[in-house]
Amino acid sequence: MDADIKVRYSDKDLEEFRVLIENKIEKAKQDLELLRSSYKNDGNNGTDDTSPTFKAFEEGSETMSREANTQLALRQEKFIRDLKNALVRIENKTYGICRVTGNLINKERLKLVPHATLSIAAKNMQKR
């Protein structure tokens, strides 16, 4: 058996990924709060949304914008959940292991997509 085959990332690598993921979670939470406040009108105590207006197009645009922000907020919540799941995998020392092939996911991929659970090879197999 070849001794060069890595079964998991080292504790040092896992710590590096943990810091990266925690930073991404903090940024994602800030972005989520911005999105939430924009579709809830939290920051505006004015009467813009209560005064009678006859600007149907602007109201429709505002409604579409709120719906888009709601969808973005849902995606952001999923992203945060996926990042938190990655932290659990770090604690379990299973982080960075492809769930299809069982091989290590490329370190560069994990830096770009830290919540990835599939290697590029496994992703390509899924597309076929």
Side-chain angles (χ1 to χ4, degrees):
M1 189 158 167
D2 193 346
D4 291 339
I5 297 175
K6 291 174 71 175
V7 179
R8 70 172 188 88
Y9 281 105
S10 69
D11 289 345
K12 180 182 174 196
D13 288 336
L14 291 177
E15 179 61 21
E16 181 183 329
F17 286 124
R18 186 187 62 74
V19 169
L20 174 78
I21 291 169
E22 286 175 346
N23 289 337
K24 285 198 178 268
I25 289 173
E26 283 307 308
K27 170 96 173 70
K29 284 181 177 179
Q30 291 170 3
D31 292 347
L32 179 60
E33 277 310 306
L34 283 173
L35 287 168
R36 283 182 177 159
S37 68
S38 71
Y39 72 74
K40 287 182 178 177
N41 265 350
D42 286 346
N44 184 2
N45 292 330
T47 59
D48 293 345
D49 58 348
T50 60
S51 64
T53 61
F54 301 99
K55 303 173 188 168
F57 290 120
E58 288 180 19
E59 288 174 359
S61 175
E62 188 175 316
T63 300
M64 283 183 61
S65 177
R66 281 186 184 166
E67 288 175 4
N69 284 341
T70 301
Q71 289 300 317
L72 287 172
L74 289 172
R75 288 187 66 194
Q76 198 70 359
E77 287 172 349
K78 181 185 181 306
F79 179 57
I80 292 168
R81 185 181 66 237
D82 290 345
L83 289 171
K84 286 181 178 180
N85 287 339
L87 287 177
V88 170
R89 290 192 302 277
I90 287 174
E91 291 300 314
N92 296 337
K93 300 192 188 283
T94 59
Y95 179 80
I97 300 171
C98 177
R99 61 185 162 91
V100 172
T101 65
N103 298 328
L104 284 182
I105 299 171
N106 185 306
K107 199 171 190 177
E108 308 314 314
R109 172 168 168 71
L110 290 172
K111 286 182 179 178
L112 294 172
V113 187
H115 57 285
T117 59
L118 295 174
S119 63
I120 295 295
K123 267 302 229 197
N124 290 336
M125 286 190 305
Q126 278 187 338
K127 290 181 182 178
R128 293 182 200 164

